[in-house]
Structure formats: structure tokens, C-alpha cells
């Protein structure tokens, strides 16, 4: 048996008894977290299955020394090769055999170690940490354990997943203690498992000043010196940790995502390895055998492969990447991020992103600005995807999700909608490709009847004044482009009337908001500004399509201007205050700001700008609902409740009114209480549903008609093969029977409203693509058909058989469906043939 190891442990025990070293009592063993993403792999778990724990008492008693207090009995299912069964006599083999047989199990354990650091570390670690007992084979148990081996046991319980490590250097208890010893008190260690020791280096956060490795005092002769060979292995193992995701705690408070490719491991670890070897005490170098090097290289490759498999789904960008928003506390001041620093960060985020960590978040004067990579689907891909979604309401939600990506929709409506401006940077100039372009505007001017003032405005802002230069008549290309060359911005007021793609986008989004969604296209020449500072009465989404444009956005100046009902007049350059957002929009970027936020935009020299502004929620507030509701509620209350018809006090004018507001007359209190009771009572008579129906009627008048897909067209009245041929009409009279299956074309296509003594069905399929060009479209419905129409509403998006409609007879069923089908409100499951 090795006398060196016996003397080391003996010295340790003597000093422990003398009170020089305080004995640490181990606590209950900690189990690995089950189901954790970084838990042991199935293959590694299988290798550990069937092995048994060996207590410290049993290991120490075989060398004739008193061991520490035994751990609570707990079978973890581990069993080492060559370990005797419980209760079997154990004999001490010769020392040479012990040395030879003890190394095999250690190496085997080391090969199974890569999953060890993936266990969760308690928040703090120290002298009283939980300890895990190292399994030893029966022959190896006969060897004396040195003080360094004892310290290895305390290190094993503090193993931590790399994702939880701080950026500062860590201190492994019992491993770096030799740093505080002189060479004279360091003894050679021959049997300490080197690779196990290497695994425990990254255990506890550093408590030493400046992030240096901490030094722990230990008695002389209790620690043995490691050779340079094992140190190199240790450094190599530490350097092979590029998979660790460190918390982004860079100076300045900026969040940073640390990503490294496995190929950079050797290059990055070369410097620290040399530094580490040079730092430690010199000693006889023990070169590991070639097999050990091969095994360690395999361990590194295996660990990297496991990490790549885990990180692979994280790197795969979904159509709507997730996003982490950094919020400011109430007492925290917003931090200004300079543009020169934000530019490289946006580029880095576009190239290196993880769904787990979200997009890069910048704070610009308290406004949230996020970056997104180029992995999102294009507009054409999204429109094709919408055709596969049966419910039109879900189509609208999906399109809006793409519009504001990577901002999560729930987060947007909870924290930004009607509250704050937000800039979404994508670094993807093709994000809106195919939506609208300057070339398309030129084609519209050449081929369509575009009228100045009705469809197109020409305006410029100079010396604090806005000028509108609209000549009468049609906007011919020669006139329009001449105004553009003179510094005028061209605003196309209804691009949906001339662009099928814009029409489709707006017609889908309007169902998501249950409010009209409009659009304006703005083309601005280089180095100019078209419009004066102002605020609008709409929620605005600015989509930058071409070029660059500098935007300045200001919060409402006073409470009366927050979420206004009407737009403001033009403001001068004075009195606007400091902008809360001042940024240059580039192609693919999105800017949102609520109604009431003052804004102005100017083009940079040398480059033009084309952007599309989507607008919604005009006159769509609670006040707009209550405005017609309160008079209707009062009228109903007066008609039905005698309390509203009782007379006022004869002398109320003696104590009510402005001149008596501060008189302190005791009669004022009961009078005001009576008014409040009547107002609360009036709510019982408020016809909320009727007013909501009237607002829905107005919304359907505002709506754009739906855009039919090829499949929907083939299954609707537009797909019937009716035509004039050879002097007569052909294929007339396609029949609908009780076996025909039908459904509504869209969810929000129609509205059944009760007006006076009749029931009216309003719809949108015949609306104009120009706002309010035409009267509302409707059908008067007999009361016997209302149940059948409501049944169609409730069945959407499923198809129903005509014979199942709740009508009096089959004739009424066929009549109702035929009427709705011929208006284009229904589609059939299969094409109709005459």
C-alpha cells in the first residue's frame, strides 16, 4: 500500500483531533433535478444504473483510521464493477493490485462525467455544503484517502450547470487550495483521479476581490501537488466550455448574448492554458498516456455534440421569434443608447439570435426598440399561409403577429398599445417586399384615374410652414413628378384602391381590430419634409418600404391631448419639447405610436423615402360608445321609471348653481346624492346591445370588401360557369338542395340588426375599395329566417347541411340559402353544377 497516501490522511486526522481543522458533517445528499433540460442523458444514466454508493466510514475503516460520521443510508442505485455484494467479507489485496484496479473505475466514471455539471447548484456554497460520496470499488476502498481526496467530495456537491455561472472567475473548494501552499509542504499525489478533479473546477462564484481565484488555508502536508500534465488537462476541460450561456452583465448595463462556436475552443483556450500552467508551482511533469488524451478529446467532442443537439431547436427561428423586453422601473430613468453603438448591436442580433434569450433590446429614451433576424417569413409566404387557416379571425391574428414580429402580441397590447411608442428594427430590407413600391406608384399614376385632393396630395414643409400644392384635376405623371422634383411629398390617400396586396392586407387586419384599417403611402424626395408636426386621432403603424427617414416622436404635451378624439392642427417648431424617440427608419423597420403622439419626419440628403402608414381605432373609444348610449338610456329610463319623472325640489335654484357652489348650504348634499342615484339607476336602462349593433353597422360600412382566394371564388357564386354563348345563356340555374353543404364566407362579413319593426342584415361584400364610396349594403330579412342566419353564424367555420337549418320547412331553408349565396355571402363545400 502506498505509504505516502497513508501519511497524508494520518496527518489530516491528527490535526483534526487536535482542533486545527474543524470536521465538517455532511448533510443529506442532493438529487439531480428530474426533467431538466441539462439533466443527464439517457445513455449516461444507463451506465450509472445498478451501481451502489460506498460510505466514507467503510472506506476509511479499512486503513485502520476513524472515519467521519456515517451518512444517512440512501441507495442511489449506483454499483461499481468489482464491488462485493452487501454483507460479503472484504479483504485487502496487495498494494500493486489495488493501484492497478483502482484506476479503471475512476477512468470509467470520468467518461460518464460530462453530464455532471448539468445539475443545479444551490444559490450559495461553502464549508457546510451537501456532499456526494464517490463510489469506490472494493479493492480501491482499501487505499488511504488523502486530504485532497476528501476535499474532492465537498466539491462534487457544488457542481453547477454552466448556464448558472456568473461571468467572474469561480473558486472550486479544495481544488485551488494548493495555491496558498509553499512547495515544501506539498506532497506528490499518485492516486487522485485527475479528471474528476477537473470536472469540479467550475463550482462556486468567486468571493475574492477583483474576481481572482480564492485561496483556502489548509494544514501543511495535507495537499499534494499536481503535475503539469494534469494541469493542462484541467485547463483544456475548462476551455472546452463555449456552450455556457453566461448572464449578460456587461459594464454599462447592456445585455449581451455570449455565443461561441465549438471551433473556437482551442484558439480561446490556448492563452489561459499557458497562463494557468505558469502560475502554479513547478513540479515533476507527469505526461498522461496516449489513451487518456484520446479519451479526453472524445469527452470534449461528446459534450459539444450534446450541447449542439440541445441548442439546435433554439437557433431555429420560428416565423414569429420571441422577444425579451427590458422594462424600466418607476424610479429608473430611461437610458439613452447612442446610435453609433446601436448599429453594430442590431447587426449582431440579426446574425446571432436565440429564441431562448429573445431579440436584442435597446432603450432609446425609454422607448423599446428591438432587433429581429432575417429568418421571418416574407409577406408572400404569410399570405399563402393565411389561405390554409379556415377561420378568418385567426387569419387576422396571424397577419398582425407577422406585422409586429418579433414583438409578442400579448406583450404589445399589455404594455405598448395606447401607451408608448415602439421601434422595431429588423435589419431585413426585404421584410415588406411586394407590399408597395415607388414603381407601383408610378404605374398607378400612368394607368389609373388618380385625382389631386381625392386620391393624391402634394405637400412640403419649409421654414416652419406647411404648403399644399394640389392643382385641380387628374394627377398625371408629368405634374406629379414635377412637384416631387420641387421638394413636395406625394401622399397616396387610398393605396388599397389601386394595389391588390394592400387591399388584401387591410381587409384581413380590420377583422383583428373590429375597426376600420386604412392606409396612406408617403413618397418623400431627398433632403425634404412634407408635413408639419402634428398628432393624429388614429393608432399608427409606420412600415418603412424604401430609403431612409428620420422620425421625431413626442409625447402628448398635456393630459387633454392624450388619446384625442380628433387630429390636431399643424404645430410650429417651438413648444414641442424633447422627442422621446428620434431614430432613422430603414427598410423593414416598424414604428408604432398611439394617437395623440406628436410626430414629424424628414428625409435625409441623398436618399428618398417611401413608407406606408396603417391606421386604425379612429373614434373607437368608450366615450364614442357612451355618446349615443347615454341619451338612449335616459330616454328609456324616463319612459319606464317614475323616479325620473318626479319633480325637482321647488327651491333647488336657491342652493344649486355655480354661485352657490361654495355656500356650504346643507341642502346641496342630499340633492347631489339624488342625482348620483338616478345616474346609477339609469345604467339599468342602457341599450348596450342595440348601440353595439349600430356601431357594428357603421363598421361594416367602413370595411373593405373581402379578397377571395381562388378556392373561395370557385365555391362561391362567382365560380358558377354561367355565360353567354352561341346566342343564349348557358349553365344557368345551378340548384341548391337540402343536401348542399354551405358556410359563411367570413366571420365578420355580416351583422344582423333590429331596426324599428324589421330585421336588417348588413354585409361588406359589395363595398367599395375607396372609403365610404357608396351607401351601406343590406338585406331586409323576414323574422322566420333569423334563426337560420344565427345558426350559420354559430356554425362558422364549419359547413352545415341546408336541411339542418332551423326553418319552418325545406322550402324556407332553400330560399334562405339561395338568397345569401347569390349575394356572395356563402360558399359551398363542393362546386355547384347546373
Amino acid at each position: 500500500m502506498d505509504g505516502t497516501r497513508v501519511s497524508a490522511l494520518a496527518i489530516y486526522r491528527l490535526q483534526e483531533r487536535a482542533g486545527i481543522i474543524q470536521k465538517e458533517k455532511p448533510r443529506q445528499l442532493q438529487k439531480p433535478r428530474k426533467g431538466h433540460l441539462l439533466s443527464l442523458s439517457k445513455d449516461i444514466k444507463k451506465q450509472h444504473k445498478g451501481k451502489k454508493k460506498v460510505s466514507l466510514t467503510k472506506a476509511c475503516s479499512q486503513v485502520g483510521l476513524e472515519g467521519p460520521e456515517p451518512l444517512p443510508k440512501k441507495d442511489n442505485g449506483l454499483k461499481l464493477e468489482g464491488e462485493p455484494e452487501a454483507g460479503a467479507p472484504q479483504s485487502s489485496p496487495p498494494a500493486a493490485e489495488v493501484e492497478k484496479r483502482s484506476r479503471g473505475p475512476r477512468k470509467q466514471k470520468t467518461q460518464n462525467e460530462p453530464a455532471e455539471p448539468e445539475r443545479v447548484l444551490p444559490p450559495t456554497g461553502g464549508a457546510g455544503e451537501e456532499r456526494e460520496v464517490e463510489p469506490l470499488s472494493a479493492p480501491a476502498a482499501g487505499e488511504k484517502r488523502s486530504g485532497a481526496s476528501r476535499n474532492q467530495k465537498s466539491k462534487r456537491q457544488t457542481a453547477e450547470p454552466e448556464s448558472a455561472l456568473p461571468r467572474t472567475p469561480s473558486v472550486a473548494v479544495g481544488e485551488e487550495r494548493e495555491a496558498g501552499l509553499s512547495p515544501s509542504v506539498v506532497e506528490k499525489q499518485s492516486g487522485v483521479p485527475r479528471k474528476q478533479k477537473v470536472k469540479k473546477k467550475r463550482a462556486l462564484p468567486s468571493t475574492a476581490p477583483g474576481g481572482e481565484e480564492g485561496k483556502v488555508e489548509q494544514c501543511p502536508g495535507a495537499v499534494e501537488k499536481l503535475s503539469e500534465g494534469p494541469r493542462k488537462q484541467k485547463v483544456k476541460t475548462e476551455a472546452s466550455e463555449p456552450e455556457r450561456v453566461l448572464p449578460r452583465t456587461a459594464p454599462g448595463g447592456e445585455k449581451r448574448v455570449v455565443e461561441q462556436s465549438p471551433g473556437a475552443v482551442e484558439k480561446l483556450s490556448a492563452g489561459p492554458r499557458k497562463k494557468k500552467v505558469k502560475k502554479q508551482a513547478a513540479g515533476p511533469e507527469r505526461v498522461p498516456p496516449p489513451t487518456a488524451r484520446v479519451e479526453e478529446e472524445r469527452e470534449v467532442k461528446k459534450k459539444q455534440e450534446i450541447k449542439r443537439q440541445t441548442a439546435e431547436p433554439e437557433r431555429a427561428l420560428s416565423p414569429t421569434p420571441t422577444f425579451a423586453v427590458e422594462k424600466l422601473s418607476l424610479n429608473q430613468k430611461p437610458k439613452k443608447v447612442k446610435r453609433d453603438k446601436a448599429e453594430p448591436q442590431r447587426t449582431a442580433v440579426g446574425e446571432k439570435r436565440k429564441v431562448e434569450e429573445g431579440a436584442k433590446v435597446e432603450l432609446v429614451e425609454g422607448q423599446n426598440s428591438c432587433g429581429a433576424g432575417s429568418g421571418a417569413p416574407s409577406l408572400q409566404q404569410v399570405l399563402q399561409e393565411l389561405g390554409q387557416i379556415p377561420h378568418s379571425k385567426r387569419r387576422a391574428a396571424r397577419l398582425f403577429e407577422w406585422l409586429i414580429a418579433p414583438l409578442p402580441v400579448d406583450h404589445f397590447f399589455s404594455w405598448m398599445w395606447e401607451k408608448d411608442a415602439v421601434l422595431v428594427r429588423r435589419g431585413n430590407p426585404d421584410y415588406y417586399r411586394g407590399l408597395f413600391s415607388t414603381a407601383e406608384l408610378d404605374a398607378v399614376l400612368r394607368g389609373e384615374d388618380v385625382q389631386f385632393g381625392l386620391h393624391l396630395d402634394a405637400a412640403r414643409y419649409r421654414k416652419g410652414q406647411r404648403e399644399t400644392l394640389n392643382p385641380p384635376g387628374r394627377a398625371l405623371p408629368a405634374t406629379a413628378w414635377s412637384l416631387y422634383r420641387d421638394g413636395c411629398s406625394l401622399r397616396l390617400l387610398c393605396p388599397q384602391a389601386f394595389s391588390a396586396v394592400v387591399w388584401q392586407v387591410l381587409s384581413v387586419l380590420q377583422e383583428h381590430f373590429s375597426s376600420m384599417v386604412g392606409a396612406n403611402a408617403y413618397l418623400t424626395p431627398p433632403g425634404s419634409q412634407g408635413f408639419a408636426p402634428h398628432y393624429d386621432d388614429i393608432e399608427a403603424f409606420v412600415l418603412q418600404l424604401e430609403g431612409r427617414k428620420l422620425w421625431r416622436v413626442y409625447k402628448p404635451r398635456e393630459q387633454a391631448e392624450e388619446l384625442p378624439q380628433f387630429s390636431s392642427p399643424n404645430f410650429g417648431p417651438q413648444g414641442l419639447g424633447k422627442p422621446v424617440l428620434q431614430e432613422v427608419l430603414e427598410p423593414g423597420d416598424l414604428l408604432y405610436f398611439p394617437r395623440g403622439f406628436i410626430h414629424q419626419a424628414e428625409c435625409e440628403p441623398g436618399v428618398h423615402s417611401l413608407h406606408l402608414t396603417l391606421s386604425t381605432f379612429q373614434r373607437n373609444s368608450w366615450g364614442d360608445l357612451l355618446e349615443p348610449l347615454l341619451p338612449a338610456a335616459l330616454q328609456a329610463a324616463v319612459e319606464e321609471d317614475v323616479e325620473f319623472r318626479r319633480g325637482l325640489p321647488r327651491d333647488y335654484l336657491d342652493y344649486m348653481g355655480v354661485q352657490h357652489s361654495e355656500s356650504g348650504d346643507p341642502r346641496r348634499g342630499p340633492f347631489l346624492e339624488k342625482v348620483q342615484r338616478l345616474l346609477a339607476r339609469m345604467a339599468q336602462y342602457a341599450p348596450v346591445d342595440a348601440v353595439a349593433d349600430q356601431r357594428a353597422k357603421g363598421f361594416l360600412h367602413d370595411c373593405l370588401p373581402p379578397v377571395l382566394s381562388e378556392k373561395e371564388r370557385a365555391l362561391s357564386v362567382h365560380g358558377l360557369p354561367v355565360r353567354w354563348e352561341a346566342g343564349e345563356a348557358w349553365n344557368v340555374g345551378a340548384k341548391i338542395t337540402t343536401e348542399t353543404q354551405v358556410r359563411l364566407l367570413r366571420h365578420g362579413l355580416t351583422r344582423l340588426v333590429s331596426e324599428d319593426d324589421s330585421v336588417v342584415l348588413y354585409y361588406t361584400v359589395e363595398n367599395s375599395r375607396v372609403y365610404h364610396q357608396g351607401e351601406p349594403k343590406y338585406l331586409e330579412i323576414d323574422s322566420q329566417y333569423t334563426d337560420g342566419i344565427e345558426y350559420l353564424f354559430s356554425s362558422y367555420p364549419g359547413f352545415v347541411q341546408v336541411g339542418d337549418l332551423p326553418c319552418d320547412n325545406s322550402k324556407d331553408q332553400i330560399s334562405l340559402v339561395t338568397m345569401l349565396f347569390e349575394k356572395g355571402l356563402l360558399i359551398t363545400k363542393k362546386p355547384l353544377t347546373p
Side-chain angles (χ1 to χ4, degrees):
M1 186 172 292
D2 192 343
T4 303
R5 300 183 62 193
V6 173
S7 62
L9 187 54
I11 293 173
Y12 180 87
R13 290 303 181 195
L14 290 174
Q15 293 186 353
E16 183 182 70
R17 293 177 181 178
I20 300 175
I21 295 178
Q22 297 295 330
K23 181 171 62 177
E24 301 172 359
K25 295 184 178 181
R27 300 194 310 222
Q28 185 177 0
L29 295 179
Q30 177 181 340
K31 291 184 177 180
R33 288 177 56 184
K34 296 182 179 179
H36 196 272
L37 290 176
L38 301 178
S39 61
L40 292 172
S41 65
K42 294 182 179 179
D43 295 338
I44 298 175
K45 287 182 178 179
K46 288 181 180 178
Q47 295 177 11
H48 282 283
K49 188 175 181 181
K51 299 184 180 179
K52 187 181 296 182
K53 291 273 186 174
V54 179
S55 67
L56 288 174
T57 305
K58 185 179 297 184
C60 295
S61 62
Q62 295 191 23
V63 296
L65 297 176
E66 179 183 357
E69 296 182 12
L71 294 172
K73 293 184 178 180
K74 191 171 185 181
D75 187 9
N76 62 353
L78 297 179
K79 182 178 180 181
L80 295 178
E81 295 180 4
E83 181 181 0
E85 298 295 334
Q90 299 183 9
S91 60
S92 300
E97 184 180 355
V98 170
E99 183 68 16
K100 181 178 178 180
R101 296 179 62 184
S102 62
R103 292 185 179 180
R106 288 195 185 95
K107 289 185 178 180
Q108 180 180 357
K109 180 173 180 60
T110 305
Q111 293 176 2
N112 297 335
E113 282 291 328
E116 175 72 13
E118 297 174 352
R119 297 201 311 237
V120 176
L121 179 72
T124 60
E129 287 295 326
E130 299 176 355
R131 300 173 176 236
E132 184 178 18
V133 182
E134 176 188 1
L136 297 175
S137 64
E143 299 178 4
K144 285 193 174 182
R145 306 172 64 89
S146 67
S149 297
R150 176 176 178 83
N151 289 331
Q152 288 179 7
K153 293 193 292 291
S154 84
K155 291 179 293 183
R156 228 173 267 119
Q157 286 72 38
T158 57
E160 174 72 11
E162 289 86 354
S163 59
L165 289 177
R167 193 175 284 231
T168 56
S170 60
V171 176
V173 176
E175 290 183 10
E176 297 303 319
R177 292 184 180 180
E178 62 266 31
L181 299 175
S182 63
S184 61
V185 296
V186 178
E187 298 180 4
K188 182 178 178 182
Q189 177 180 354
S190 61
V192 177
R194 295 188 298 273
K195 294 182 181 179
Q196 294 181 9
K197 187 167 185 180
V198 168
K199 299 302 293 184
K200 314 310 170 192
K201 173 66 182 71
R202 42 193 185 277
L204 296 177
S206 175
T207 57
E212 297 180 358
E213 296 180 350
K215 299 180 180 180
V216 183
E217 294 295 334
Q218 193 172 9
C219 65
V223 179
E224 302 165 350
K225 184 176 69 174
L226 292 173
S227 65
E228 293 182 4
R231 280 197 202 98
K232 291 184 177 180
Q233 291 182 0
K234 180 175 182 179
V235 174
K236 183 175 181 180
T237 306
E238 294 172 355
S240 62
E241 298 171 8
E243 308 89 66
R244 294 189 293 179
V245 181
L246 302 179
R248 297 178 288 181
T249 56
E254 298 181 8
K255 291 188 175 181
R256 298 182 183 273
V257 179
V258 179
E259 294 189 1
Q260 262 184 345
S261 61
V265 173
E266 289 300 328
K267 183 178 180 180
L268 293 175
S269 61
R273 186 183 298 115
K274 294 179 180 179
K275 184 177 180 180
K276 184 74 175 180
V277 173
K278 185 177 181 181
K279 181 179 178 181
Q280 295 188 356
E285 181 175 359
R286 178 181 300 161
V287 180
T291 56
R293 295 179 179 177
V294 173
E295 289 174 0
E296 183 153 351
E297 290 176 0
R298 289 178 181 175
E299 291 173 16
V300 174
K301 291 181 181 179
K302 185 174 181 180
K303 186 174 181 180
Q304 294 175 356
E305 182 64 23
I306 293 174
K307 184 59 185 178
R308 281 196 295 269
Q309 293 175 359
T310 306
E312 191 65 28
E314 296 175 347
R315 294 193 182 99
L317 291 176
S318 60
T320 56
T322 57
F323 165 103
V325 176
E326 183 176 330
K327 294 185 292 184
L328 297 177
S329 63
L330 295 177
N331 298 327
Q332 183 180 358
K333 295 183 179 180
K335 183 177 294 184
K336 178 72 176 180
V337 177
K338 296 183 179 179
R339 180 163 183 78
D340 56 350
K341 294 183 179 180
E343 284 293 335
Q345 290 174 354
R346 275 188 266 117
T347 303
V349 171
E351 297 173 354
K352 299 178 181 180
R353 288 192 67 253
K354 287 188 177 182
V355 175
E356 176 189 16
E357 304 219 0
K360 176 75 175 176
V361 177
E362 303 169 11
L363 293 180
V364 182
E365 288 295 341
Q367 310 304 315
N368 291 321
S369 173
C370 62
S374 58
S378 64
L379 175 61
Q380 288 73 19
Q381 291 173 332
V382 172
L383 294 180
Q384 291 177 2
E385 179 186 342
L386 297 184
Q388 308 301 320
I389 302 175
H391 202 296
S392 60
K393 199 79 172 177
R394 297 191 184 97
R395 294 180 206 168
R398 175 67 186 98
L399 182 57
F400 182 73
E401 181 183 352
W402 171 86
L403 181 70
I404 67 170
L407 272 173
V409 175
D410 292 342
H411 178 86
F412 171 77
F413 283 111
S414 298
W415 298 99
M416 301 171 184
W417 175 256
E418 293 187 332
K419 297 181 181 71
D420 219 345
V422 59
L423 172 61
V424 178
R425 292 201 181 280
R426 297 193 173 95
N428 182 6
D430 296 330
Y431 197 81
Y432 300 121
R433 182 178 295 276
L435 182 56
F436 197 69
S437 66
T438 307
E440 191 171 355
L441 175 60
D442 180 68
V444 169
L445 294 175
R446 293 177 180 277
E448 302 289 345
D449 184 15
V450 179
Q451 298 289 323
F452 277 112
L454 179 62
H455 305 120
L456 189 72
D457 279 336
R460 63 188 178 191
Y461 181 72
R462 291 182 177 177
K463 298 179 181 180
Q465 296 292 329
R466 173 189 164 178
E467 300 176 316
T468 301
L469 305 176
N470 286 338
R474 179 178 172 180
L476 294 172
T479 307
W481 291 123
S482 177
L483 291 169
Y484 175 83
R485 292 291 297 270
D486 290 341
C488 291
S489 288
L490 301 181
R491 177 175 64 176
L492 188 61
L493 297 172
C494 49
Q496 69 274 8
F498 309 105
S499 170
V501 179
V502 176
W503 169 26
Q504 184 175 3
V505 168
L506 299 185
S507 66
V508 173
L509 287 177
Q510 67 190 7
E511 194 164 352
H512 184 67
F513 290 100
S514 297
S515 177
M516 182 193 73
V517 177
N520 289 334
Y522 296 82
L523 178 65
T524 306
S528 66
Q529 180 174 339
F531 299 89
H534 66 284
Y535 64 74
D536 295 315
D537 58 345
I538 48 91
E539 302 296 306
F541 297 87
V542 179
L543 284 60
Q544 188 68 26
L545 306 180
E546 297 176 7
R548 296 161 57 91
K549 203 167 193 179
L550 172 63
W551 282 82
R552 296 183 181 91
V553 180
Y554 311 81
K555 280 196 172 183
R557 299 172 299 178
E558 55 188 19
Q559 187 175 3
E561 293 180 349
E562 293 182 10
L563 304 177
Q565 280 189 304
F566 305 100
S567 297
S568 72
N570 294 328
F571 298 125
Q574 306 298 327
L576 299 179
K578 185 179 180 180
V580 294
L581 187 145
Q582 180 171 330
E583 286 290 314
V584 175
L585 265 66
E586 299 177 353
D589 291 349
L590 170 73
L591 172 63
Y592 161 80
F593 50 85
R595 55 192 187 274
F597 273 56
I598 303 171
H599 54 277
Q600 60 177 328
E602 61 178 313
C603 228
E604 293 186 330
V607 59
H608 76 283
S609 170
L610 176 68
H611 76 265
L612 192 70
T613 299
L614 307 185
S615 60
T616 188
F617 257 57
Q618 186 179 44
R619 299 299 304 272
N620 201 42
S621 66
W622 284 101
D624 296 307
L625 174 70
L626 294 175
E627 187 174 356
L629 180 63
L630 294 181
L634 179 59
Q635 181 180 358
V638 170
E639 292 176 356
E640 300 181 21
D641 194 334
V642 67
E643 289 298 321
F644 289 86
R645 299 195 299 268
R646 295 191 186 278
L648 291 166
R650 289 176 289 104
D651 58 348
Y652 82 100
L653 293 179
D654 295 339
Y655 53 86
M656 296 305 300
V658 176
Q659 67 182 24
H660 303 294
S661 59
E662 299 181 359
S663 63
D665 193 299
R667 293 172 294 178
R668 289 178 57 84
F671 186 90
L672 293 175
E673 291 177 0
K674 176 71 172 181
V675 172
Q676 292 176 1
R677 287 197 303 271
L678 291 177
L679 289 175
R681 194 165 182 169
M682 187 177 64
Q684 305 175 14
Y685 304 96
V688 180
D689 289 330
V691 172
D693 284 338
Q694 292 302 314
R695 289 191 60 81
K697 168 185 170 182
F699 167 54
L700 292 182
H701 187 206
D702 297 340
C703 278
L704 289 167
V707 179
L708 274 65
S709 65
E710 293 298 327
K711 182 178 180 181
E712 290 173 335
R713 181 172 291 276
L715 298 175
S716 69
V717 66
H718 304 287
L720 294 179
V722 180
R723 65 190 184 279
W724 175 265
E725 185 178 330
E728 59 178 321
W730 289 82
N731 293 332
V732 179
K735 301 296 183 181
I736 293 177
T737 66
T738 54
E739 286 77 25
T740 304
Q741 295 184 357
V742 297
R743 78 166 193 188
L744 284 174
L745 179 63
R746 294 283 190 279
H747 177 267
L749 188 73
T750 60
R751 188 77 179 193
L752 199 61
V753 180
S754 177
E755 294 183 348
D756 298 332
D757 296 332
S758 62
V759 179
V760 180
L761 182 69
Y762 288 91
Y763 56 89
T764 66
V765 292
E766 297 177 2
N767 283 4
S768 170
R769 290 162 64 177
V770 178
Y771 178 69
H772 283 189
Q773 187 172 331
E775 296 298 322
K777 305 300 186 294
Y778 62 91
L779 290 171
E780 290 190 8
I781 302 297
D782 293 337
S783 58
Q784 60 187 5
Y785 293 143
T786 56
D787 291 342
I789 294 176
E790 291 176 354
Y791 184 78
L792 289 171
F793 290 163
S794 61
S795 300
Y796 181 84
F799 286 89
V800 298
Q801 195 164 295
V802 174
D804 294 336
L805 293 178
C807 297
D808 294 338
N809 49 58
S810 59
K811 182 179 179 181
D812 289 344
Q813 293 170 339
I814 295 175
S815 297
L816 172 62
V817 172
T818 301
M819 175 181 61
L820 299 180
F821 181 80
E822 290 180 349
K823 282 295 182 183
L825 305 180
L826 299 179
I827 59 174
T828 58
K829 192 171 185 179
K830 298 180 180 179
L832 291 179
T833 55

